[in-house]
Amino acid sequence: MEASMRWLVGWSSTAAGVAGIGSAGATGYDGETLHPVGSQLLWGDPDPLWAVGDWRPDEVRVIRADAENRIAVLGICGASDEELRRGLFTARGGALRHLTTWPGSYTAVVQVGRRITVCGDLAGARPVFHTPWAGGTAYATAALPLADLIEANLDFGHLAALLAAPDVPAALRDTTPYEGVRRVPPGHALVLRAGAREIAGYEPVASLAVAAPPADPDHAVDAVRDALVEAVRTRLSAPRHVPDLDPGPVPGMGPAERRARRGMPVPGIGADLSGGPASGTLA
């Protein structure tokens, strides 16, 4: 089964080394360093990034060019480490679109100096949220931890729009059920520079005043099919993690023998069928 209660959490401060910043985040009232509960630190100050929840080792990859240039990819991504490294070098110049074209389902975060870029996908299946906090900007791949962080009230305007026009996503704009927590629109990226935030679109938009060049339908269909096949192939080749269930005592077998009998994870597809708001989907 795929885990649903896991997310990526980060924070971009306004400056490095200012008061209120600990070894990996802000400090609390008693001087303690604040960090998400159950988190794994991917990189530290001045713009720390954490993976929260039961991410598996094959789903968390961090590629570093040097101390100030690195990329984190969380999820199932078919790009090799060398492809991620090339993607990091290309992103240093401001290009973003290529970070979303690798097969799989993932969230990419790029750090180039004090510039942090968090890419959302075109469909909004892997959303990115952000909120002002501690003089900077906190971001996450789930809205609830940010709402808890700032102790947000419910956004009744968002809930009313959701009830009145459930089939019109544009009515919600970039709002969430929580006041002060915003969502990055599909096809856009959250760009943070020393805590200041910008929402940048990375998908080319054709002008309605100029006719687009004609496209070959057969070529377009072939491209979509190839992309889907490659994405499914990437997902199938990933390890399938099964619950570590012990069947109990077996005559003549000790715990080590029972673990060996169960074997290691094998390639396959899993899906979260709990139906929760963070559930994955399987098509």
Side-chain angles (χ1 to χ4, degrees), residues 5-10 35-42 50-55 74 141 145:
M5 299 305 294
R6 57 185 184 180
W7 42 73
L8 189 67
V9 176
H35 57 84
V37 176
S39 62
Q40 170 190 352
L41 182 66
L42 302 183
W50 298 272
V52 183
D54 58 346
W55 293 94
L74 282 85
T141 53

Side-chain angles (χ1 to χ4, degrees), residues 227-253:
L228 290 174
V229 169
E230 185 61 27
V232 173
R233 181 180 291 115
T234 298
R235 190 65 180 88
L236 283 170
S237 63
R240 177 171 56 87
H241 296 269
V242 296
D244 188 18
L245 301 177
D246 194 323
V250 178
M253 294 179 60

Side-chain angles (χ1 to χ4, degrees), residues 5 14 25-26 31 42 70-71 112-113 121-122 131 173 177 181 193 199 218-219 221 228 239 248 250 261:
M5 299 305 294
T14 54
L42 302 183
R70 45 199 171 186
I71 180 173
V112 178
D121 62 346
L122 286 175
T131 185
R173 304 187 309 279
V181 179
R193 294 179 176 87
I199 307 300
D218 293 335
H219 177 74
V221 171
L228 290 174
V250 178
R261 177 68 64 87

